[in-house]
Amino acid sequence: MRIAPSLHRLGSGMVNSYLIEDAGEVTIVDAGVPGYWSDLTAELGAMGRTVEDVRGVLLTHGHSDHIGFAERFRRELGRDVWVHELDAALARGEVKNPSPGLGPTRLRPLLEFLLYSARRGALRITSIAEVVTFGDGATLDLPGSPRVIHVPGHTPGSAALHVSQLDALFVGDALATLAVTTGDVGPRIAPFTADVPAALASLDRLAGVDARWVLPGHGQPWTGGVPSAVERVRASVGG
Ligand SMILES: [Zn+2]
Ligand SMILES: [Zn+2]
């Protein structure tokens, strides 16, 4: 799906993987679920690109529903998968998910999420054998020159990625516009957040970013500006 010129998305909005293009080359931000691999060629085609043009997969964090096809990409194309240094062990499958559990749920939306993911291979996700790591404040040598803003809380190594040339801020699960466990929409703390107070504190690090597109790991793009997204997340937890 095309969001804007040079900015596309795989999936329906339930689990997001984004493709960004810069001077004929592509960065994939989050690798969703494994089944998206079969959608990748067509989406790249719609951008006038092929899988050969993809320079790297950049992960907002190490959760399994963001790793998706990343290991397959790395193995088949011999190109790098990037993640914040504090989520590297999680992405490699060396440590357990730090999330305490599901939190509040509603049966039907939760089942829809689980079915959507399972049909797309979420029960056979392969950890990433080898990752390239980055730290806070880095500007990455990838198409789009993403700038890293460390936003710990959802996971210790959660990172937002600002691509100023596309006026886009990829927030991963630092906030969500869809809670997959309840079906609630609008900016909110994402389910499976390990440390909610830390996640709320991290939102301060995003508040100064000017971006037309706020692009979460789950849910539709937010175009109301970063400050209003942050405000709504805070309101959703009553704080
Ligand atoms: Zn997550
Ligand atoms: Zn997620």
Side-chain angles (χ1 to χ4, degrees):
M1 185 202 117
R2 178 183 179 276
I3 296 172
S6 306
L7 174 57
H8 283 230
R9 184 185 77 192
L10 300 173
S12 65
M14 185 83 85
V15 178
N16 295 328
S17 168
Y18 298 99
L19 314 179
I20 61 179
E21 194 246 317
D22 174 15
E25 294 190 308
V26 174
T27 300
I28 298 175
V29 179
D30 283 337
V33 282
Y36 285 177
W37 183 256
S38 53
D39 305 324
L40 185 59
T41 306
E43 200 61 49
L44 285 165
M47 304 173 83
R49 308 263 65 92
T50 73
V51 78
E52 288 300 319
D53 299 320
V54 182
R55 280 261 308 279
V57 167
L58 174 55
L59 303 174
T60 57
H61 63 297
H63 272 160
S64 57
D65 55 332
H66 296 252
I67 285 175
F69 59 78
E71 174 61 9
R72 184 168 182 181
F73 165 85
R74 194 193 67 82
R75 228 177 33 234
E76 292 193 8
L77 292 170
R79 292 178 198 167
D80 293 332
V81 178
W82 301 58
V83 68
H84 189 280
E85 56 203 4
L86 294 181
D87 265 20
L90 184 59
R92 290 191 300 252
E94 295 164 1
V95 297
K96 270 183 57 183
N97 181 358
S99 161
L102 279 175
T105 59
R106 264 185 230 116
L107 189 58
R108 194 183 159 147
L110 177 63
L111 283 177
E112 278 172 13
F113 168 65
L114 293 175
L115 260 177
Y116 179 96
S117 304
R119 284 196 184 115
R120 291 164 180 81
L123 304 178
R124 42 170 211 279
I125 288 170
T126 314
S127 295
I128 305 162
E130 204 178 301
V131 292
V132 174
T133 61
F134 53 76
D136 184 42
T139 297
L140 305 178
D141 181 21
L142 282 168
S145 304
R147 185 174 61 86
V148 176
I149 305 164
H150 184 210
V151 283
H154 180 71
T155 60
S158 280
L161 304 157
H162 184 213
V163 177
S164 58
Q165 62 182 252
L166 294 179
D167 214 1
L169 179 66
F170 300 89
V171 294
D173 292 356
L175 64 89
T177 58
L178 166 69
V180 294
T181 48
T182 63
D184 289 330
V185 296
R188 62 195 55 252
I189 288 288
F192 312 107
T193 290
D195 183 339
V196 171
L200 286 168
S202 284
L203 294 176
D204 288 341
R205 310 206 71 210
L206 300 179
V209 179
D210 186 26
R212 166 167 161 71
W213 300 104
V214 177
L215 299 165
H218 307 274
Q220 300 303 327
W222 175 261
T223 53
V226 181
S228 81
V230 167
E231 207 172 283
R232 282 178 194 233
V233 177
R234 293 196 193 289
S236 76
V237 292

